[in-house]
Amino acid sequence: MTSKHALKVGLRSIPLVAAHDKINLKQVSEFKPLLAWAKNLAKEEEQADKDNTTGKPSVRVDKVEVKNVDYFGSRIGFVNLAVDAELTESGQKPPGLVFMRGGAVAVLLIIKTTSPSGETVEHVVLTKQPRLSIPSFNFPEIPAGMLDGSGDFVGKCAEELKEECGITLDHNKLIDMTELAYGDQWDGVYPSAGGCDEFLRLFISFIDKEWHELQELEGRLGGLRDHGESISLTLVTLKDAYKVAPDAKLLSSLALFNALKADGKL
């Protein structure tokens, strides 16, 4: 028999059901990404009510079933959900499978240096690490990490740079490009909204280094080894970064960087 709980969405409660008895629904109901999802759902329903002239909601969510939970130690890491919803106009059901993991931060770190020939060159710092979902044993991407639920985007970004790259930056050197672009309209950039709640807060930072300091970064080992991370650093020129790394975080950051610069916001 499956256990039941309730998820508060605005003024109403939606049944929260476990697919099997090993799932701790109380713990899941306190999972911060799920609470953020419920809050955003309430906002969406409220806006739909304002825009609607028929008196019926455009989408009705009737139930949320927890299919599976993955843990990081004793802490919930990922939750798989099946959202039972209906398009009220047609009676059809939109896709409702959700891989819930919450938000993350990523940073486009641009290092300006002068080469031995006297040329000014801009490089981007990339990390390389195993990504078994692809699979690749050395996938190149910009430094990134999952949020811890504190809401401290800048602090988490600085923490990831320190852990993954061994680079310490003042918080005031980190610019939140997603905030510049969208304000508080969106939590961030959504890389896979068709089945995942993950959003990315994309930061950019500009620093200067001497040529010999830049060479010391190449191949540096980073990451938390006791957390299963195996990271090495590599540097590519800013103009060639898109050719080297098919990383959505990098490509989205480059697009925002160029658009914000064209608008005079960077």
Side-chain angles (χ1 to χ4, degrees), residues 187-205:
D187 289 330
V189 172
Y190 292 84
S192 188
C196 183
D197 73 317
E198 182 184 26
F199 63 87
L200 300 171
R201 301 292 293 208
L202 299 177
F203 285 79
I204 193 168
S205 185

Side-chain angles (χ1 to χ4, degrees), residues 3-240:
S3 54
K4 295 182 179 181
H5 208 74
L7 183 65
K8 289 288 291 180
V9 177
L11 298 176
R12 67 191 185 94
S13 296
I14 293 175
L16 185 66
V17 180
H20 54 81
D21 291 335
K22 292 183 179 180
I23 293 173
N24 184 336
L25 271 185
K26 183 178 186 304
Q27 190 180 22
V28 173
S29 69
E30 296 168 355
F31 186 42
K32 288 186 178 179
L34 180 60
L35 295 176
W37 180 85
K39 182 178 179 181
N40 286 335
L41 178 59
K43 287 181 182 177
E44 198 70 11
E45 289 182 342
E46 183 181 352
Q47 187 59 48
D49 285 342
K50 290 179 182 176
D51 296 340
N52 202 340
T53 57
T54 65
K56 294 180 180 180
S58 55
V59 180
R60 187 182 71 244
V61 177
D62 294 320
K63 182 178 68 174
V64 174
E65 183 179 21
V66 183
K67 293 288 191 180
N68 191 49
V69 180
D70 292 303
Y71 286 87
F72 298 160
S74 61
R75 180 172 63 88
I76 291 179
F78 307 133
V79 174
N80 287 291
L81 303 175
V83 180
D84 185 4
E86 183 180 287
L87 302 173
T88 51
E89 245 185 272
S90 64
Q92 293 180 322
K93 289 184 175 295
L97 294 178
V98 178
F99 175 58
M100 185 163 283
R101 57 173 291 157
V105 294
V107 57
L108 181 65
L109 180 59
I110 298 176
I111 301 177
K112 184 189 291 185
T113 189
T114 302
S115 72
S117 64
E119 180 186 6
T120 298
V121 187
E122 290 180 314
H123 285 83
V124 171
V125 176
L126 299 179
T127 64
K128 287 187 174 182
Q129 57 186 309
R131 293 302 193 191
L132 296 180
S133 57
I134 299 176
S136 170
F137 296 161
N138 286 287
F139 185 68
E141 55 192 300
I142 59 175
M146 292 175 61
L147 291 169
D148 55 13
S150 68
D152 182 11
F153 301 131
V154 175
K156 185 62 179 176
C157 194
E159 179 185 313
E160 290 300 325
L161 275 174
K162 179 67 176 176
E163 288 178 359
E164 293 193 356
C165 306
I167 296 172
T168 302
L169 281 185
D170 291 336
H171 288 193
N172 60 9
K173 288 187 176 293
L174 289 160
I175 303 166
D176 188 343
M177 292 193 291
T178 40
E179 183 177 33
L180 285 179
Y182 308 114
D184 59 2
Q185 181 182 5
W186 299 102
D187 289 330
V189 172
Y190 292 84
S192 188
C196 183
D197 73 317
E198 182 184 26
F199 63 87
L200 300 171
R201 301 292 293 208
L202 299 177
F203 285 79
I204 193 168
S205 185
F206 306 90
I207 61 175
D208 297 318
K209 280 191 176 296
E210 297 293 333
W211 184 255
H212 71 88
E213 294 178 302
L214 194 70
Q215 305 314 303
E216 290 169 2
L217 285 176
E218 183 68 44
R220 177 186 285 180
L221 300 180
L224 299 177
R225 293 309 201 232
D226 57 343
H227 286 198
E229 294 182 338
S230 177
I231 297 172
S232 62
L233 302 189
T234 190
L235 298 164
V236 296
T237 59
L238 176 60
K239 66 183 179 62
D240 290 332

